[in-house]
Amino acid sequence: MDKVDLLDKFGKISANRDQLSAVGRDPTSIVIDRIISPTEAIIDGKPTILVGTNNYLGLTFDPECVAAGQSALAEAGTGTTGSRMANGSYAPHLALERELADFYDVPHAMVFSTGYAANLGTLAALVNTGDVVVMDADAHASLYDGCRMSGGSVYRFRHNDMTSLGNRLRRLAEKASRTLIVVEGLYSVLGDRAPLREIVALKREFGAHLLVDEAHSLGIYGEHGRGVCEELGVMEDVDFIVGTFSKSLGATGGFCASRHDVLPLFRYASRPYIFTASGNPSVIATTRAALRQISARPQLRQKLHDNAERLYRGLEAMGLRLGADVSPVIAVRFEQSEDAARTWERLLEAGIYTNLFVPPATPDGSSLLRCSVSAAHSEEQIDTILQRFREIIEPAKSRAAGS
Ligand code: PMP
């Protein structure tokens, strides 16, 4: 038998990477030379409109957030240099937890260093050997990794398919009571929402628990900006909400909020909470300021949805194949990954930055360009994005028709 070397696996990784850049530029190698605003940057020396950032509310340059970060940096230093369990929490970590709990109108919230850690840490604390996770097939990688860390049995159900979820729960019989259903509020690649009312009805029928990842929907849906759970009126039925500070809040970090009194005990059972450094004071400060903006400026949400509608309808009018729901995450789908990659590259050359997704990173094996809209986009920027798409798509369509 051939001897396998530890480093052999990188041959395959390198082949995959070469495939990514086969049609031109490697999308993972983009360097933003200079960031100018939430929607503009210099890339390859060229002014570029950003429509692939997750900066939904455009708060990264918000004067109040920036000022809060600057004074925290001056007052509390550059970093905490340790974990909360070993080295102590700073008072603002606790203040943010209280503010998040109040924001969701639940008794408890817990802050983690990233959204990724929040998902790992929540699932690892909550689900143990003998417990079960029933998870939407399109759930984010951090939820899959959290399941792996948890030691529980994991079953997937077909994306947003209530028959598939119902069948899974039925088959679990009495184990349903130690089952956690895991879904996202707004799905991050195709921009569609979870049918949470139906999911809650099944959760109740089978006596399971429910966790919703609102990473992409915090600040975007619901009267108070709490997310899809609020918009669909199911807050009371959701057991755990997880999310991130890295999208609408324009920072880094993550959280879990819950009405269950066990949440504070997660601190003792969650390795991704215990064994990592806590959020920097400046990051905690900008997050707190951004959370206040979500409550104080509902007009940001309205502007975001108006922009999303304008971009979605414009792309739809070009005959492009889009995700089913109009939302701030707009997926432009392609039959062939080469077409997606070529369009992505041409858009970049034309000063428009989108995100390229090709298999295996896409939920249904399709290839797509993901646009994420921001409240900070002006109508003129949205129209420029549409114009550039048109200039690239239409000649490609006539070439295809002629061939
Ligand atoms: N959950 C979802 C649904 C996400 O899309 C992401 C990040 N893309 C995360 C969690 C992880 O968040 P973070 O980047 O803050 O670690």
Side-chain angles (χ1 to χ4, degrees), residues 34-97:
R34 192 157 65 82
I35 182 89
I36 297 170
S37 76
T39 58
E40 300 153 292
I42 303 294
I43 299 179
D44 294 338
K46 211 178 321 138
T48 302
I49 299 176
L50 304 173
V51 64
T53 61
N54 308 316
N55 198 348
Y56 298 118
L57 298 180
L59 289 175
T60 46
F61 284 79
D62 176 80
E64 277 185 36
C65 295
V66 171
Q70 282 169 332
S71 62
L73 191 59
E75 282 162 24
T78 54
T80 63
T81 66
S83 79
R84 293 175 64 183
M85 292 299 264
N87 308 84
S89 292
Y90 285 18
H93 291 120
L94 294 166
L96 175 55
E97 285 174 342

Side-chain angles (χ1 to χ4, degrees), residues 135-156:
M135 184 152 78
D136 188 287
D138 284 8
H140 189 254
S142 55
L143 294 164
Y144 276 97
D145 293 355
C147 286
R148 209 178 292 167
M149 195 174 208
S150 76
S153 312
V154 182
Y155 302 99
R156 296 194 304 175

Side-chain angles (χ1 to χ4, degrees), residues 155-228:
Y155 302 99
R156 296 194 304 175
F157 65 94
R158 277 198 303 279
H159 175 56
N160 275 352
D161 183 331
M162 294 303 99
T163 309
S164 175
L165 173 59
N167 288 342
R168 284 278 181 221
L169 291 169
R170 198 163 297 112
R171 261 183 251 139
L172 287 167
E174 75 277 7
K175 270 210 153 188
S177 62
R178 57 191 299 188
T179 293
L180 182 69
I181 302 168
V182 174
V183 298
E184 292 179 28
L186 175 70
Y187 282 88
S188 58
V189 180
L190 296 179
D192 50 346
R193 273 166 277 173
L196 283 171
R197 288 193 189 127
E198 291 79 354
I199 291 171
V200 158
L202 286 170
K203 169 207 130 124
R204 281 198 185 158
E205 182 184 341
F206 291 96
H209 290 76
L210 174 62
L211 176 147
V212 182
D213 182 340
E214 295 263 31
H216 290 265
S217 27
L218 160 63
I220 290 171
Y221 291 103
E223 189 190 341
H224 302 90
R226 290 173 190 151
V228 179

